[in-house]
Amino acid sequence: MKNIKLKHLTSIIFVIIIGSLIWWNTPCSITNIAPSEVSEIGIFNGNTGKSISITDATDIEHIIKNLNTIFLKREKISLGYMGYTYKTTIYKINGDVYKEFIINSNDFIRKDPFFYRVSSGIIDYEFINEIMLNSERDEKDYDQ
């Protein structure tokens, strides 16, 4: 009887380990929303402390279409890490938050509790960076 219970317990642990490994290594997407369902993308630059609100439909469409095409793989646990580049919040038309995550580079995203590396596609980091730089330039021009 003890032998049968031990075999069952071993089998269950084995299935859990294999299932966890498959889940960990299976690519996932960060977004899956139509650009027309997005009213705004908020981006906070963790390096400068500046934030912008992207409401232009063309910019939203470009960013969302790009994010919808990438697939990510979990890289490591992100709990306890501080600092980031672009904290990104996507708002639906009704004002609800759809997703919130951090874009650190063209191939690295943080969505707690994990860091993700892009496994398929590439984040158009330069596009977002250019929007941030332009808004900071506009702000400086306005201040003068």
Side-chain angles (χ1 to χ4, degrees):
M1 189 68 167
K2 265 188 171 179
N3 234 0
I4 293 174
K5 285 185 179 182
L6 185 60
K7 283 182 182 181
H8 278 58
L9 181 61
T10 304
S11 297
I12 291 170
I13 291 171
F14 181 74
V15 167
I16 289 171
I17 290 171
I18 295 300
S20 296
L21 287 171
I22 290 170
W23 172 79
W24 182 265
N25 289 304
T26 301
C28 57
S29 61
I30 192 71
T31 61
N32 187 18
I33 189 170
S36 61
E37 295 177 37
V38 176
S39 64
E40 174 186 346
I41 300 174
I43 299 179
F44 178 81
N45 186 331
N47 296 316
T48 65
K50 304 285 184 185
S51 64
I52 62 168
S53 178
I54 300 170
T55 56
D56 179 72
T58 306
D59 291 343
I60 288 173
E61 182 174 3
H62 180 87
I63 293 168
I64 296 300
K65 279 185 174 182
N66 173 247
L67 292 174
N68 283 345
T69 63
I70 64 167
F71 285 90
L72 311 163
K73 288 183 91 174
R74 289 166 196 84
E75 179 124 324
K76 62 182 178 178
I77 302 289
S78 67
L79 299 175
Y81 282 87
M82 304 284 286
Y84 52 85
T85 305
Y86 294 135
K87 181 178 180 186
T88 306
T89 307
I90 300 171
Y91 296 92
K92 293 164 62 175
I93 293 291
N94 65 6
D96 291 345
V97 172
Y98 168 68
K99 290 272 175 126
E100 197 169 63
F101 52 89
I102 294 166
I103 299 173
N104 281 327
S105 68
N106 64 354
D107 69 343
F108 213 63
I109 284 181
R110 175 176 154 195
K111 183 171 185 334
D112 288 334
F114 301 109
F115 283 109
Y116 295 85
R117 180 150 322 264
V118 174
S119 63
S120 174
I122 192 164
I123 301 166
D124 196 349
Y125 184 81
E126 290 305 316
F127 184 81
I128 296 167
N129 197 41
E130 192 61 35
I131 290 174
M132 286 300 291
L133 289 173
N134 286 338
S135 86
E136 289 172 6
R137 276 189 217 114
D138 291 346
E139 187 177 289
K140 284 180 186 172
D141 292 342
Y142 181 76
D143 290 341
Q144 293 176 356

